[in-house]
Amino acid sequence: MSAISKDMTIGEILRTQPAVGGILMEAGMHCLGCPSAQSETLEEAAMVHGMNIEELMNKIAAL
């Protein structure tokens, strides 16, 4: 799997690594298809949803 960074947009992550979508949904990020997800970074989305970005990155890295 190519590296995912917290500075990548949700849209970019889902286009390059669709399997990450399951992790994001499981974490409570259910708006993956909304327009803002296409331009919002993973870190921004985590902050908006009250998630710890480091914990989320660890789950993604374990995929």
Side-chain angles (χ1 to χ4, degrees):
M1 176 181 291
S2 64
I4 301 291
S5 77
K6 60 186 175 185
D7 298 319
M8 293 173 74
T9 65
I10 301 295
E12 182 180 15
I13 292 168
L14 295 177
R15 281 189 299 279
T16 59
Q17 299 296 329
V20 174
I23 291 173
L24 299 179
M25 291 288 286
E26 190 175 286
M29 202 175 290
H30 300 123
C31 59
L32 301 180
C34 73
S36 64
Q38 297 306 306
S39 60
E40 191 171 52
T41 68
L42 183 58
E43 185 170 37
E44 291 168 337
M47 184 174 56
V48 167
H49 288 87
M51 298 174 184
N52 180 303
I53 187 62
E54 297 308 321
E55 287 177 15
L56 188 57
M57 292 299 296
N58 288 337
K59 288 180 183 179
I60 291 170
L63 180 63

